[in-house]
Amino acid sequence: MSGASEFRGKDVLGKAPQQSVLNVLRMSCADAMQRPDFAERLQDIKQKFYERDFDGIFLEPSNLSVYTAQYVPRRALCYYDLFSHPQLQRILLTRPRILCLGAGSGSELLGITAACCQILSDNTHPITIHSQDYADWSPILQSLEHAVRYKWNIQQSHITYEFSKDNLLSMSQSTEALIASSQLITAMFVFGELFADKSNAINFVKTIVRCTRPGAFFLLVDSAGSFSSIKVGNNTYMAYMFFDSLKQYFEPVVEDDSKWFRHAQGLDYPLPIENMRYFVRLYKRK
């Protein structure tokens, strides 16, 4: 641990909070970024994204640390910004159990933890951040947890971190139980990938509807571009349209079809960081 005697709240991020987030990531990904095959492995990952070969990326363990070093920075910064939204801050103040679906790479762990620093204090009931994925990301997440606890002095009394491995397209009863017991469920940059298998993806939507308990929140975030467009028959839909149509089950709380996240200038990180355009839906289960 850092040796600090007490948690310093949002001050722990300093005057440059985005840089503080990146500093945590640099510590966690230091070994990955020094790999001699880093550039070659990254190029292979990008090619497989182009081919939409997600299994080829995420079921190869040697890809995971490279993926985290390259793709987590912009998303973690974006999620930190998103969870600083007043509505999401109000949810964090309730010390919720958060289930992050498809979140093995650690963007949610890092971004949400940074946003939690604005509202955490000592001697409170801890927030739980449960990351779920279909590949075994546990070594990556353990490294990130170590880094945030060391850099920001996050104690077990502030946040507890959990991980489970399951396939959302053939969801186990244990994952359904996690959905049912969570106050906030997130699906960020995962929905478009699920729709590579349309029939099972529709079952995923049905499971979210069935298992999310009344009063709980469901957060859907994905690319605002064509990558999130889904063709069903002769029609093309954006991913959020599936949940927008379920008005009898979900009340929209936050809606934005196209939102830009632009990172601060002058950030120090060994790899380029891109800005992001995304859509966001925060629903409350009726």
Side-chain angles (χ1 to χ4, degrees):
M1 300 300 293
S2 65
S5 59
E6 67 179 50
F7 181 68
R8 293 185 292 122
K10 61 184 178 181
D11 293 338
V12 78
L13 300 180
K15 296 181 179 179
Q18 290 189 20
Q19 185 61 58
S20 184
V21 171
L22 293 180
N23 290 345
V24 168
L25 197 57
R26 289 183 69 154
M27 176 182 175
S28 179
C29 296
D31 290 343
M33 289 188 284
Q34 293 173 5
R35 283 174 50 174
D37 67 338
F38 184 92
E40 177 184 353
R41 183 67 63 177
L42 179 58
Q43 187 57 42
D44 184 61
I45 290 172
K46 291 180 177 179
Q47 179 62 33
K48 284 183 167 56
F49 264 126
Y50 179 77
E51 299 167 356
R52 298 179 77 87
D53 179 11
F54 303 117
D55 286 354
I57 298 170
F58 300 121
L59 296 183
E60 173 50 60
S62 62
N63 285 340
L64 301 185
S65 62
V66 174
Y67 178 93
T68 293
Q70 174 68 28
Y71 292 101
V72 166
R74 59 180 175 173
R75 289 188 182 175
L77 293 177
C78 177
Y79 298 165
Y80 164 60
D81 180 74
L82 176 61
F83 273 79
S84 298
H85 186 285
Q87 182 61 49
L88 283 160
Q89 284 282 291
R90 284 193 285 273
I91 294 173
L92 293 180
L93 279 168
T94 67
R95 306 297 191 268
R97 179 178 183 84
I98 306 172
L99 173 61
C100 301
L101 302 173
S105 66
S107 303
E108 287 86 345
L109 185 156
L110 185 52
I112 297 173
T113 297
C116 287
C117 289
Q118 302 176 65
I119 55 93
L120 290 176
S121 59
D122 280 324
N123 302 316
T124 61
H125 179 74
I127 293 170
T128 297
I129 300 177
H130 185 111
S131 301
Q132 174 279 334
D133 213 296
Y134 82 124
D136 184 9
W137 290 86
S138 51
I140 303 295
L141 292 169
Q142 288 166 6
S143 178
L144 278 170
E145 177 182 349
H146 172 76
V148 297
R149 292 198 187 282
Y150 180 84
K151 289 282 192 180
W152 295 339
N153 199 27
I154 302 291
Q155 305 291 330
Q156 291 285 351
S157 60
H158 302 136
I159 302 175
T160 59
Y161 300 101
E162 300 172 352
F163 173 70
S164 61
K165 183 174 175 287
D166 192 24
N167 190 334
L168 295 178
L169 295 177
S170 55
M171 203 179 299
S172 68
Q173 290 184 347
S174 60
T175 299
E176 291 185 1
L178 286 169
I179 295 172
S181 65
S182 298
Q183 289 79 47
L184 173 62
I185 301 102
T186 75
M188 300 198 279
F189 287 87
V190 67
F191 202 61
E193 296 177 15
L194 292 178
F195 262 82
D197 183 339
K198 292 184 178 61
S199 60
N200 281 329
I202 295 296
N203 290 333
F204 167 78
V205 175
K206 292 178 179 178
T207 301
I208 293 294
V209 171
R210 176 170 53 86
C211 294
T212 303
R213 68 188 190 184
F217 294 89
F218 177 65
L219 179 65
L220 179 66
V221 175
D222 221 309
S223 169
S226 60
F227 196 78
S228 292
S229 63
I230 297 162
K231 190 170 184 179
V232 180
N234 295 322
N235 299 314
T236 300
Y237 304 92
M238 291 298 289
Y240 55 78
M241 292 180 178
F242 290 90
F243 286 94
D244 284 356
S245 68
L246 300 172
K247 298 183 185 301
Q248 69 271 39
Y249 302 109
F250 289 107
E251 173 191 354
V253 178
V254 176
E255 300 177 88
D256 199 326
D257 293 352
S258 180
K259 184 178 178 65
W260 272 101
F261 169 72
R262 293 181 172 87
H263 61 76
Q265 297 298 309
L267 294 175
D268 181 18
Y269 191 74
L271 301 169
I273 303 173
E274 299 177 0
N275 296 320
M276 290 175 49
R277 187 168 72 94
Y278 65 99
F279 73 77
V280 59
R281 290 289 194 277
L282 177 65
Y283 303 99
K284 186 174 184 179
R285 183 68 165 89
K286 292 181 178 180

